[in-house]
Amino acid sequence: MATKTEPTLADIEAARERIAHHARVTPVYGSETLLRESGRPTLLKAENLQRTGSFKIRGAMNRLATLTAEERDAGVVAASAGNHGQAVAWAARELGVHATVFMPEDAPMAKVEPTLTYGAEIVLGGAGFDAALAEAQERVAESGATFVHAFEDELVIAGQGTLGLEIADQLPEVGTVLIPVGGGGLAAGISIALRALRPKTRLVGVEVRRDGYTIADGIAVKVPGELTMSILQQNLDEVVTVNDEQISAAITLLLERSKLLVEGAGAVGVAALLSGEVGGKGSVCAVLSGGNIDPTTLISVLRHGLTLAGRYLVMRTRLVDRPGELIKLTRLVAQQRCNIVQIEHRREGVTLEVADVGVDLTVVTRNEEHCQQLIALREQNGFPVQRLG
Amino acid sequence: MATKTEPTLADIEAARERIAHHARVTPVYGSETLLRESGRPTLLKAENLQRTGSFKIRGAMNRLATLTAEERDAGVVAASAGNHGQAVAWAARELGVHATVFMPEDAPMAKVEPTLTYGAEIVLGGAGFDAALAEAQERVAESGATFVHAFEDELVIAGQGTLGLEIADQLPEVGTVLIPVGGGGLAAGISIALRALRPKTRLVGVEVRRDGYTIADGIAVKVPGELTMSILQQNLDEVVTVNDEQISAAITLLLERSKLLVEGAGAVGVAALLSGEVGGKGSVCAVLSGGNIDPTTLISVLRHGLTLAGRYLVMRTRLVDRPGELIKLTRLVAQQRCNIVQIEHRREGVTLEVADVGVDLTVVTRNEEHCQQLIALREQNGFPVQRLG
């Protein structure tokens, strides 16, 4: 493979021309809640509202738009169970090119279905991403199709850099920009654009802690490539790492207060801001890089976020096993205007007396104060309470 | 009270000037998914991204901006546990006016907290909305503050009408506009603007079925006022009614595919479109009027929507009560690459043999086909399955 060189501002400007009729210029929104919570004016670059739900079409479109007629006829291949696969499928359809996307066999439906809808051929197979990648490369070798890498490619990086041009236009005065880092293509592209146009802006990469499962699956399994790493080392002022707990809180806040659905990888900038570990002063722009979160994951994230905020209360109590006792208990809950989400009786367990029954209750509460009131009311009425969440 | 007269296009244009530095011009997004599902090009007016999360600040700001200096000093009063209360609180803060918002005592925290954050005084009391309204009117009588009605007010209607001016600018060619109808202020305002500027556009009001509880709480408890009703009767071509099932599906689709969080009342237009009952042909604009849905409600809506789409499977099965049986069962689930969300053992119940135990399993599935495969696999292996959802 030929040595790859860093794209320049001119390359990024050329990319902007190429993708102009395809990609959206995504909006920027201020967030009062984040100003209050972080003490810094916060602007959200809502790239989750991009077509296909992520920034990836900028790079994919720039790559595909520069194929020769012959290359277009031979089609393109990608290996991805995520945003890159959707982006390549979408860009290929826009340009009338055949795309084949290789995915691991248990890729979630929420990813498979849109990619299919954009008209790509999908090959499900292999036990994980590496197997899918190997199959993709085999296909490329056999067929002469062009492999589209998710980040280690000058044209892809230049395409992602167009997001940096938009930030330079929309927020000429912003002090700090927070950019998610997975493979590093987005951060590399944005940093080249902003280093050239806004040399004083502080550029912060945000990574997710790489230890096992994370909800930021879009950036979790990747490490920057050789080219992207070299660009990031030159251009980033700082790298901050966040964990799933912080990301969950950020997703919940963005959804509830800004009405924006943001995936784990897209919420890391806000998570970093809320952690207090972002250096510098003054205004901050967080790049919300995508919104493709699986709804079942979203439900778990919201439940967790709401429990942390005292808006769900899970508690275990004991009552004597005779008619009427449960009525007393539920009356106390109703008296506090709480809605019961789940109720469970337990008869087995060493902590229970013979004539006792254990009851686990999950209720919707207003806030931590409300939880405390409910617990106190129950204890005053003779029901011991153990808080589980 | 003086007889109210209908606002004119000029009143709405004046309102646009007044609110220009406060309200956002919200974006419009096309939706491929809705084009595919409805057969009509569909544009989403994303007013859920308005400040405070709903269109209500347009009317509230226009009303407050026209108060005399003396009236401003006396403050404003509103009765609302919802978007109108937040909007009045927000507009009052923008203009440095004192606002008091009366709410029923069990108003959800998701509504109380933002209103507090905007600096309004909140009076919680009374068993329902009517009690809060009576208290608000009492306060007005005592204090000389101005009561801001949520819809039955020329200036409020003119303010909401600015959304119609934006549609005329952003979508000059659109064939049909779908507008939620609760109190009717939004639909009245938009219809006046569009009747004047785009006389050929088909205007459709969308109501929620008014029989008990609904997730479209923003428009559920209201009926149009005398003034708004008279405007709607002149201007609307059609009124369509939708139910909670349709609204849930619309909320889930908008969130998952467009990354937009939309409340029940804001999703009725899309629900109507998907019902196939909207008349006319060609392109459609659905006004997504707000995004203030309680997260606990959202979780229920998503669970329901996913179950309908075959992406959750709830099933009851029986196994012999001896060690190792549950392993067999869960191995079959793992073999189908399904994630278990919840598992429950039952030993009581007339449908069980003495030595049997009932097991209720909730698993994440890909789609209906995947559900069927899982059920078949279990039945082949001797586990009878009763589907619960």
Side-chain angles (χ1 to χ4, degrees), chain A residues 26 120 179 202 233 340 345 351-352 360 371 381:
Chain A
T26 49
I179 319 165
R202 185 175 178 82
Q233 277 172 348
I340 296 178
H345 263 67
T351 61
L352 294 175
D360 288 357
C371 293
N381 284 272

Side-chain angles (χ1 to χ4, degrees), chain A residues 24-32 36 46 48-53 90 93-94 104-110 112-114 117-118 124 127 252 255-261 291-296 298-299 302-303 306 311-312 337 342 344 364-367, chain B residues 24-32 36 46 48-53 90 93-94 104-110 112-114 117-118 124 127 252 255-261 291-296 298-299 302-303 306 311-312 337 342 344 364-367:
Chain A
R24 289 178 180 144
V25 173
T26 49
V28 169
Y29 296 110
S31 165
E32 248 187 50
R36 208 166 45 240
N48 60 322
L49 300 177
Q50 185 55 269
R51 289 179 199 279
T52 77
W90 184 88
R93 190 190 59 181
E94 291 277 301
E105 64 182 3
D106 53 353
M109 205 55 204
V112 176
E113 204 188 79
T117 304
Y118 300 138
L124 284 177
T252 305
L255 189 68
E256 191 172 6
R257 302 311 305 263
S258 300
K259 318 304 167 196
L260 294 169
L261 180 64
N292 293 325
I293 185 170
D294 191 87
T296 56
L298 178 65
I299 290 173
L302 289 178
R303 276 198 184 282
L306 290 172
R311 284 164 59 186
Y312 271 113
R337 321 278 325 151
Q342 194 169 343
E344 216 172 323
V364 177
T365 41
R366 287 188 174 172
N367 51 21
Chain B
R24 290 180 180 143
V25 174
T26 49
V28 169
Y29 295 111
S31 165
E32 249 187 48
R36 209 166 44 240
N48 61 321
L49 301 177
Q50 186 54 269
R51 290 179 199 278
T52 76
W90 185 87
R93 190 190 59 180
E94 291 277 301
E105 65 183 2
D106 52 355
M109 205 56 203
V112 176
E113 206 188 78
T117 304
Y118 301 137
L124 283 177
T252 305
L255 189 67
E256 191 173 5
R257 302 311 304 263
S258 301
K259 318 304 167 195
L260 295 168
L261 181 64
N292 294 326
I293 186 170
D294 191 88
T296 55
L298 178 64
I299 290 173
L302 289 178
R303 276 198 184 281
L306 290 172
R311 284 166 60 187
Y312 271 113
R337 322 279 322 152
Q342 195 168 343
E344 217 171 322
V364 177
T365 41
R366 287 188 175 172
N367 51 22

Side-chain angles (χ1 to χ4, degrees), chain B residues 297-328:
Chain B
T297 307
L298 178 64
I299 290 173
S300 308
V301 165
L302 289 178
R303 276 198 184 281
H304 190 71
L306 290 172
T307 305
L308 287 179
R311 284 166 60 187
Y312 271 113
L313 174 63
V314 190
M315 53 190 164
R316 176 167 291 177
T317 192
R318 278 202 312 274
L319 40 89
V320 181
D321 196 4
R322 66 180 170 218
E325 287 296 304
L326 194 58
I327 295 180
K328 286 190 204 162

Side-chain angles (χ1 to χ4, degrees), chain B residues 145-385:
Chain B
T146 299
F147 183 73
V148 183
H149 198 283
F151 50 86
E152 194 70 354
D153 180 308
E154 300 96 319
L155 285 156
V156 171
I157 294 171
Q160 321 304 27
T162 59
L163 207 155
L165 300 182
E166 291 176 21
I167 292 173
D169 288 346
Q170 294 170 316
L171 302 170
E173 306 288 335
V174 76
T176 299
V177 178
L178 301 170
I179 319 164
V181 176
L186 178 65
I190 291 177
S191 72
I192 292 168
L194 290 179
R195 271 287 155 269
L197 294 169
R198 303 281 179 260
K200 289 183 184 159
T201 300
R202 184 175 178 82
L203 301 178
V204 179
V206 187
E207 293 185 332
V208 65
R209 190 151 296 151
R210 297 179 197 283
D211 49 3
Y213 173 80
T214 166
I215 50 171
D217 55 352
I219 57 177
V221 292
K222 299 174 197 106
V223 286
E226 207 176 306
L227 176 60
T228 53
M229 181 64 94
S230 136
I231 297 170
L232 296 185
Q233 278 170 347
Q234 292 165 57
N235 289 349
L236 295 187
D237 294 292
E238 188 186 4
V239 174
V240 175
T241 304
V242 295
N243 62 34
D244 270 16
E245 195 85 0
Q246 295 166 319
I247 296 169
S248 289
I251 291 172
T252 305
L253 184 151
L254 287 165
L255 189 67
E256 191 173 5
R257 302 311 304 263
S258 301
K259 318 304 167 195
L260 295 168
L261 181 64
V262 179
E263 63 187 82
V268 296
V270 169
L273 182 63
L274 292 173
S275 76
E277 284 175 28
V278 174
K281 284 178 189 173
S283 62
V284 172
C285 168
V287 177
L288 310 180
S289 55
N292 294 326
I293 186 170
D294 191 88
T296 55
T297 307
L298 178 64
I299 290 173
S300 308
V301 165
L302 289 178
R303 276 198 184 281
H304 190 71
L306 290 172
T307 305
L308 287 179
R311 284 166 60 187
Y312 271 113
L313 174 63
V314 190
M315 53 190 164
R316 176 167 291 177
T317 192
R318 278 202 312 274
L319 40 89
V320 181
D321 196 4
R322 66 180 170 218
E325 287 296 304
L326 194 58
I327 295 180
K328 286 190 204 162
L329 185 68
T330 51
R331 191 177 291 139
L332 293 176
V333 176
Q335 205 175 315
Q336 283 284 322
R337 322 279 322 152
C338 290
N339 198 19
I340 296 178
V341 176
Q342 195 168 343
I343 185 163
E344 217 171 322
H345 264 67
R346 292 174 195 284
R347 286 192 166 75
E348 292 82 10
V350 289
T351 62
L352 294 175
E353 304 287 319
V354 175
D356 281 357
V357 56
V359 176
D360 287 357
L361 264 184
T362 305
V363 299
V364 177
T365 41
R366 287 188 175 172
N367 51 22
E368 182 54 35
E369 192 191 341
H370 196 196
C371 294
Q372 294 299 339
Q373 285 169 0
L374 186 60
I375 291 170
L377 183 69
R378 288 158 61 122
E379 286 179 337
Q380 284 156 21
N381 283 273
F383 296 105
V385 173

Side-chain angles (χ1 to χ4, degrees), chain A residues 144-305:
Chain A
T146 299
F147 183 72
V148 183
H149 197 284
F151 50 87
E152 194 71 352
D153 180 308
E154 301 97 319
L155 285 156
V156 170
I157 294 172
Q160 322 304 27
T162 59
L163 207 155
L165 301 183
E166 291 176 21
I167 293 173
D169 288 345
Q170 293 170 318
L171 302 170
E173 306 288 334
V174 75
T176 298
V177 179
L178 301 170
I179 319 165
V181 176
L186 178 66
I190 292 177
S191 72
I192 292 169
L194 290 179
R195 271 288 155 269
L197 295 169
R198 301 284 179 260
K200 288 183 185 159
T201 300
R202 185 175 178 82
L203 301 178
V204 179
V206 187
E207 293 186 331
V208 65
R209 192 151 294 153
R210 296 179 198 283
D211 50 3
Y213 174 81
T214 166
I215 50 171
D217 55 351
I219 58 176
V221 291
K222 300 173 198 109
V223 287
E226 208 175 304
L227 175 60
T228 53
M229 179 67 91
S230 138
I231 297 170
L232 297 185
Q233 277 172 348
Q234 292 165 58
N235 288 348
L236 295 187
D237 294 291
E238 187 185 5
V239 175
V240 175
T241 304
V242 295
N243 62 34
D244 270 16
E245 195 86 1
Q246 295 166 319
I247 295 168
S248 289
I251 292 172
T252 305
L253 183 149
L254 287 165
L255 189 68
E256 191 172 6
R257 302 311 305 263
S258 300
K259 318 304 167 196
L260 294 169
L261 180 64
V262 179
E263 64 186 81
V268 296
V270 169
L273 182 65
L274 292 173
S275 77
E277 282 174 32
V278 174
K281 284 179 189 173
S283 62
V284 172
C285 168
V287 177
L288 311 180
S289 56
N292 293 325
I293 185 170
D294 191 87
T296 56
T297 308
L298 178 65
I299 290 173
S300 308
V301 165
L302 289 178
R303 276 198 184 282
H304 190 70

Side-chain angles (χ1 to χ4, degrees), chain A residues 1 6 20 26 40 85 181:
Chain A
M1 206 181 281
E6 295 178 14
T26 49
R40 299 171 74 166
V181 176

